[in-house]
Amino acid sequence: MRIIVGISGGIAAYKIPFLIRLLKKNGADVKCIMTPSAKDFISPLVLSTLSNNPVGIDFWNKETGVWNNHVQYGEWADLLVIAPATANTISKMATGACDNLLLATYLSMRQKTLLVPAMDLDMYQHPTVKRNFEQLSSDGLHILPAESGELASGLFGEGRMAEPEMILKKIQEILDVKPLLLGKTILITAGPTHEAIDPVRFIGNNSSGKMGFALAKRALNLGAKVKLICGPTTCVLEHDSLEIIPVITADEMLFNVQAHWSTSDIGIFSAAVADYKPAKMEVEKIKKSDAPLQLTLVKNPDIVQWASNNKSAKQLTVGFALETNNESENALTKLLNKKMDIVILNSLNEKGAGFEKDTNKITIFDSKGATKIFNLKQKSEVAIDIFDHIIEYSK
Ligand code: C5P
């Protein structure tokens, strides 16, 4: 979860450090943006220390000379949570006003926004405020209503900001985050491997690593620690619970899997490991000539096979089968031969599925005899289906 917590100027801002700590504990990356008046209620230093990120207040930080780019904030976040949301900020959001960094970020958000209002009883009941809520709700915002109780003014009634635990629950509901893998470590291999022929050439394939990275993101959203051992890729992912171990060759991938396997609960082997490597790497660049060039290739180690041969009763191995013919039969043979618990078949015959694409169409087979066929989906959604199956299989 990448969360921006937007704080406007209300006394309920004192609860925000607790919210940030809860979010961090649940594996979220947090950035804070304050309206200028929020500084009167809570120190930016508290927020930057707890979130482990600089706090955005002005468009331009005159001390550091740094421009706070609202567009980048809007692209970065999975969710903007405005808490406390004051009547003033709510009214500006409802009309599209944009006179501070928080409002500009709201207008730049690619993903969803959650509004957590806090104000005094009579303000909360005012028809103008109610009208603004209706407007924002029809604009697609999520609103976590204020609770009833004692207010800072001494009045008693509706207007108290929801407690941090409730806000976290709502965030998890909106982002469909179920911490079902809390305490688990997931090892994932991803991307291609490159097997050097000489200092400038290699044997490789078109794997982009996108499926492996989508799996890593889903595992992190489910609360797991992830060790992502990946071959050369342009994919990027950052998270406090993520360790990325970049490798080039199949031998390096195997070495790192061997180093981390005993401390992992589940291994998902989505890497497109080169089946063969040159018997030896030439030290100097091979010179071109008119004569045919012969390379001697030797087989690479089978990484998932090694993990399956060395798994305890509690560990699971999940592999992929990329097939062009006799697809189900070949996938089931791999499940058996490589002693995997689950195999995910994806076919190169499916339009929109496979290497470098953002979509995939899979069929899942498992060693308990289950078969599940899925439609063509975004790889992020495919990752959700795969983890749903793994969790069900592990029960
Ligand atoms: O045999 P094939 O390459 O089709 O098997 C695919 C599955 O095996 C994938 O999960 C892949 O990551 C894994 N594999 C591996 N090491 C290899 C070859 C494949 O882990 N050398």
Side-chain angles (χ1 to χ4, degrees):
M1 295 189 293
R2 293 174 167 192
I3 309 286
I4 295 177
V5 180
I7 303 123
S8 55
I11 186 66
Y14 81 90
K15 292 183 185 170
I16 297 307
F18 298 99
L19 174 65
I20 297 171
R21 286 198 62 192
L22 265 181
L23 285 167
K24 297 287 285 184
K25 259 193 187 167
N26 281 273
D29 281 341
V30 180
K31 291 185 181 178
C32 295
I33 301 177
M34 312 174 84
T35 62
S37 68
K39 280 190 297 183
D40 294 334
F41 294 90
I42 184 144
S43 144
L45 183 61
V46 174
L47 303 178
S48 64
T49 308
L50 290 174
S51 66
N52 210 11
N53 271 313
V55 176
I57 303 170
D58 301 308
F59 286 104
W60 177 46
N61 184 330
K62 294 176 184 73
E63 278 152 31
T64 60
V66 171
W67 169 252
N68 283 315
N69 192 329
H70 52 90
V71 178
Q72 272 173 9
Y73 273 120
E75 282 176 346
W76 177 82
D78 295 320
L79 185 72
L80 168 64
V81 183
I82 304 194
T86 57
N88 181 41
T89 288
I90 289 168
S91 96
K92 287 180 178 179
M93 288 169 74
T95 58
C98 186
D99 64 355
N100 64 42
L101 182 64
L102 179 56
L103 293 166
T105 303
Y106 164 60
L107 294 179
S108 308
M109 272 302 290
R110 291 266 174 95
Q111 307 288 344
K112 297 167 183 163
T113 297
L114 168 65
L115 204 64
V116 191
M119 61 196 80
D120 223 315
L121 177 67
D122 300 307
M123 296 170 89
Y124 196 63
Q125 298 298 341
H126 198 280
T128 317
V129 173
K130 285 190 167 170
R131 195 169 60 233
N132 288 336
F133 278 136
E134 274 161 28
Q135 177 62 53
L136 290 171
S137 177
S138 76
D139 290 346
L141 263 82
H142 294 265
I143 300 174
L144 182 59
E147 294 174 354
S148 212
E150 196 183 345
L151 304 167
S153 59
L155 293 175
F156 199 88
E158 255 185 342
R160 267 167 74 117
M161 188 177 82
E163 293 301 321
E165 288 77 10
M166 290 302 295
I167 303 176
L168 174 70
K169 226 173 123 204
K170 185 74 185 172
I171 292 171
Q172 290 177 330
E173 194 185 301
I174 295 170
L175 294 180
D176 187 25
V177 174
K178 302 182 197 105
L180 291 173
L181 295 179
L182 204 66
K184 300 274 183 213
T185 300
I186 316 294
L187 180 152
I188 298 173
T189 68
T193 64
H194 287 178
E195 313 295 333
I197 298 169
D198 68 18
V200 294
R201 303 177 180 102
F202 59 84
I203 295 172
N205 59 64
N206 287 329
S207 169
S208 59
K210 284 179 183 171
M211 193 63 243
F213 274 69
L215 286 162
K217 196 167 179 196
R218 180 61 184 161
L220 292 163
N221 280 344
L222 289 167
K225 263 174 80 175
V226 176
K227 292 177 180 174
L228 181 56
I229 303 171
C230 64
T233 173
T234 53
C235 296
V236 282
L237 187 61
E238 281 177 33
H239 195 283
D240 285 351
S241 301
L242 172 69
E243 184 183 354
I244 295 194
I245 302 160
V247 299
I248 309 279
T249 65
D251 286 323
E252 285 169 19
M253 193 171 270
L254 175 65
F255 176 83
N256 282 286
V257 167
Q258 288 174 332
H260 294 282
W261 184 227
S262 66
T263 51
S264 302
D265 299 284
I266 299 167
I268 307 183
F269 298 84
S270 65
V273 183
D275 289 321
Y276 295 93
K277 63 183 170 192
K280 75 174 184 45
M281 178 189 154
E282 297 299 332
V283 180
E284 305 296 345
K285 185 180 168 197
I286 299 171
K287 290 273 173 285
K288 194 164 37 183
S289 80
D290 291 335
L293 175 69
Q294 282 202 330
L295 285 176
T296 305
L297 303 181
V298 293
K299 212 156 171 255
N300 257 331
D302 194 305
I303 300 169
V304 65
Q305 182 89 66
W306 179 88
S308 289
N309 287 341
N310 291 279
K311 72 180 167 191
S312 71
K314 285 188 185 153
Q315 287 175 305
L316 295 187
T317 51
V318 180
F320 280 74
L322 184 70
E323 304 295 335
T324 54
N325 62 315
N326 294 336
E327 299 172 337
S328 303
E329 201 182 318
N330 287 341
L332 283 165
T333 307
K334 269 174 202 169
L335 180 75
L336 210 66
N337 289 349
K338 298 192 186 212
K339 293 187 207 145
M340 296 189 282
D341 297 275
I342 296 171
V343 69
I344 294 136
L345 164 68
N346 44 84
S347 164
L348 273 187
N349 295 328
E350 296 286 350
K351 225 174 142 225
F355 284 170
E356 289 176 316
K357 305 262 175 28
D358 289 323
T359 48
N360 205 355
K361 179 170 174 7
I362 60 160
T363 303
I364 298 182
F365 301 94
D366 71 32
S367 67
K368 295 178 184 169
T371 302
K372 270 193 209 156
I373 303 168
F374 295 87
N375 295 329
L376 186 73
K377 293 182 182 188
Q378 291 293 316
K379 284 184 173 167
S380 55
E381 293 171 294
V382 172
I384 294 176
D385 291 335
I386 292 172
F387 272 105
D388 283 352
H389 192 86
I390 293 173
I391 289 162
E392 201 182 300
Y393 179 93
S394 322
K395 279 180 187 161

